[in-house]
Amino acid sequence: MTKHLTSHAHPAERPPRTYVTGPVTRFARYLTIAAAATVVVIGIVGYSSMPDTIPTHFGVNGEPDQWGPKGTFIALIILAALVSAGMVIASYFPGSVNVPRVIPVEKAQEYYRRVEQLLIAVAAVTVMLYATIVFSTVYDVNMLLPLIGVGAALLATAAVGTVRLVRALR
């Protein structure tokens, strides 16, 4: 049996990131940031034309079933910006992601690359989710089908990314 050098499970004791982010991942990162900023701008611009009471929850049929003050919309915009920014920032530090096992040193860079890609992909789909919610709120449009599609894309992105992470550690 061959012994492999391994990094400790604690992020501070892992090997440093040495790979260079690829152009597709870099482009996806910048596009995600631009899309998140656009969602925030659309929300802020649309806020003044919204009624004082807006839908705050939607039923399975896509129709509003709870209502609240339009100030809650600002919380949604802030949440969208923070979640998106958090994932994009975390993608710069893939070795910091919590992993329940030791990362072999010889596989660390590939694993980090996959973590970075997963974070950017999930951030991008999350921005699409927030865009769908913001658009439906600002323009009072039933977005059930796009919301289902974005939800499915989020699940697929997480599943594919997880499989790629597991494969990177084999």
Side-chain angles (χ1 to χ4, degrees):
M1 178 152 52
T2 310
K3 281 194 161 192
H4 295 284
L5 295 174
T6 57
S7 65
H8 297 281
H10 191 275
E13 300 170 349
R14 292 184 183 151
R17 171 188 163 166
T18 58
Y19 72 91
V20 176
T21 300
V24 173
T25 304
R26 258 193 325 273
F27 177 75
R29 178 182 284 135
Y30 299 140
L31 188 61
T32 299
I33 293 167
T38 302
V39 169
V40 169
V41 169
I42 289 171
I44 291 170
V45 169
Y47 182 79
S48 62
S49 65
M50 293 168 57
D52 290 337
T53 302
I54 62 166
T56 57
H57 189 269
F58 296 84
V60 295
N61 63 353
E63 296 297 322
D65 59 8
Q66 290 181 7
W67 301 81
K70 76 177 185 178
T72 58
F73 186 70
I74 296 299
L76 173 70
I77 293 171
I78 291 169
L79 180 65
L82 290 176
V83 167
S84 304
M87 283 189 275
V88 168
I89 291 167
S91 74
Y92 285 102
F93 308 99
S96 298
V97 172
N98 189 13
V99 180
R101 62 182 283 199
V102 173
I103 300 172
V105 171
E106 67 275 8
K107 296 182 179 192
Q109 300 312 308
E110 181 63 21
Y111 180 77
Y112 294 164
R113 182 182 309 277
R114 298 298 181 206
V115 168
E116 177 185 32
Q117 291 168 347
L118 175 60
L119 286 168
I120 295 300
V122 170
V125 177
T126 301
V127 168
M128 291 187 327
L129 176 68
Y130 282 120
T132 304
I133 295 168
V134 166
F135 186 84
S136 70
T137 305
V138 169
Y139 297 106
D140 193 27
V141 177
N142 185 327
M143 298 292 288
L144 179 61
L145 290 178
L147 196 56
I148 290 170
V150 172
L154 187 57
L155 290 173
T157 300
V160 168
T162 301
V163 167
R164 293 178 79 195
L165 288 177
V166 169
R167 286 185 178 165
L169 289 178
R170 286 187 182 173

